[in-house]
Amino acid sequence: MNQSLGKESIWNQPKAVWAIVFASIIAFMGLGLVDPILPAIAEKLDASASQVTLLFTSYNLVMAVAMLVTGAISSRLGVKWTLMCGIVIIALFSALGGNSGGIWELVWLRGGWGLGNALFVATALSAIVSFSRLGVAKAIILYEAAIGLGISVGPLLGGSLGSISWRGPFYGVACLMGLAFLLLLIMMPSRHPNVVLTKTAVSGVPAAPIASTAPTAPAQKTSLLDPFRALKYPALLILGIAALLYNFGFFTLLAYSPFVMHLNEKGLGYVFLGWGLLLAVTSVFMAPWLERKLGTIKAMCLMLTLFALTLIAMGIWTSTREVVIAAVILAGGFLGNNNTLITTAVMHAAPVERSTASAAYSFLRFLGGAAAPFFAGKLAEWFNPHVPFYVGGAFVLVSVLFILATRKHLRHIDAVGSAH
């Protein structure tokens, strides 16, 4: 059966999967949507760079905390209605953000957007895995492709609408989330397929789910403490801490680099379009190849090291716009590979439900994403524009050293990857 799954096309999916993928693309537009309009928001709302980067801080901080309750909510509402609640919250706060009159109001509303995104993101991956006909590996690739497309299209939409008004991108996302709501309402069944989790021979970690057409019994209700209990497994805790560290670099690039490129909204949109497209392509086509050739952990460390060196290069040549633009786009390739590799690792890290593992890992990951944007802006104000990139690169290098120092707890992840 595993061989036949491996030979089937990744595009051979039920309608429900494509509805979730489309909604994921729209949801992840929000991550890069504000990039091209950060300088415009700073100018129009008379805000400093560190104040504007709080749009990422509030978004990620609320997402981090909300990740801890998403499992409890989805186990009570069901996957479909959790996804749809997330979409409604994103649409509402996005529309309100477009109507805001000051930077602090916009920061708070962006936090509400993060709550909706948490409900959606934490549930979407497990939903795609459950409904997919082709097992975990290809479902993760499809999910990462949706992330890449959303992140790449978001800045293009933000740049195009932002050239008219900085409020336009917020209204645009609200409209698109309304469309995603209708698609899920029509195309996604209220119940999951019956998913049977088998055990691997390595550390009792669940293997790929096999779906049947029989309806499932009501899912067991998840406790609010389950994500914290999941972190008692060393592999999951290690990956979460590593993600917290490397997200300092990720969000330094995402939130602060627009201020040193000195481009208009459309120009920034095209730069981050290139970044997101490279992220999407590598996450789908290159990451599986790297995993086969090097193993999950070694490939992850290689990509993070290359990303750290890219940030350091941006720190050295901050004043050379062409170097910064090329480095931002190139970083998309390293991040695309790493996103797929680390998501795959998390799914095999601990013998807990995938949604619980994802929530625990995402809580730590988004804490790093919350701190980095604000400190990047502050470091530039305290010192100079070069320092945020040096600090971001240093955090990414520390994440690599941390993974290598604790690698004995991650051996079973490479073993699972080889088995698949």
Side-chain angles (χ1 to χ4, degrees), residues 218-392:
Q220 183 179 354
K221 291 182 179 179
T222 302
S223 166
L224 293 174
L225 296 177
D226 283 351
F228 292 107
R229 294 189 185 110
L231 291 174
K232 72 179 182 182
Y233 295 99
L236 188 59
L237 180 61
I238 288 165
L239 293 172
I241 293 173
L244 185 155
L245 292 169
Y246 91 74
N247 261 354
F248 267 82
F250 181 96
F251 281 97
T252 295
L253 180 141
L254 205 60
Y256 180 67
S257 65
F259 290 99
V260 301
M261 283 188 275
H262 305 295
L263 296 170
N264 62 20
E265 292 86 351
K266 284 188 176 179
L268 288 171
Y270 284 121
V271 171
F272 281 99
L273 171 65
W275 173 80
L277 287 176
L278 195 56
L279 186 148
V281 170
T282 53
S283 67
V284 174
F285 298 106
M286 191 174 176
W289 180 82
L290 284 171
E291 185 180 10
R292 290 193 302 271
K293 292 294 182 182
L294 302 177
T296 304
I297 305 305
K298 189 181 292 185
M300 195 190 319
C301 289
L302 174 61
M303 291 299 105
L304 289 175
T305 301
L306 292 173
F307 176 49
L309 293 175
T310 303
L311 286 170
I312 292 170
M314 292 173 71
I316 295 171
W317 291 287
T318 305
S319 302
T320 307
R321 182 166 61 182
E322 292 76 13
V323 173
V324 175
I325 290 171
V328 167
I329 295 171
L330 182 64
F334 303 140
L335 290 166
N337 283 314
N338 185 69
N339 285 351
T340 296
L341 291 165
I342 200 166
T343 302
T344 303
V346 167
M347 291 297 100
H348 296 299
V352 298
E353 289 187 17
R354 286 181 170 83
S355 58
T356 301
S358 178
Y361 159 76
S362 296
F363 166 67
L364 293 174
R365 174 169 59 125
F366 286 114
L367 283 180
F374 175 72
F375 279 111
K378 279 298 182 185
L379 286 170
E381 293 174 9
W382 292 336
F383 301 103
N384 59 64
H386 304 263
V387 173
F389 297 113
Y390 290 136
V391 173

Side-chain angles (χ1 to χ4, degrees), residues 36-90:
I37 56 173
L38 288 177
I41 291 173
E43 180 185 351
K44 300 295 183 184
L45 298 183
D46 193 24
S48 66
S50 60
Q51 288 175 325
V52 173
T53 54
L54 284 172
L55 294 176
F56 282 99
T57 294
S58 61
Y59 177 83
N60 285 320
L61 183 60
V62 172
M63 277 192 74
V65 176
M67 284 292 177
L68 298 174
V69 302
T70 53
I73 293 172
S74 65
S75 66
R76 288 160 175 79
L77 292 182
V79 169
K80 178 176 180 176
W81 294 108
T82 303
L83 288 172
M84 295 179 74
C85 281
I87 287 174
V88 169
I89 293 171
I90 293 170

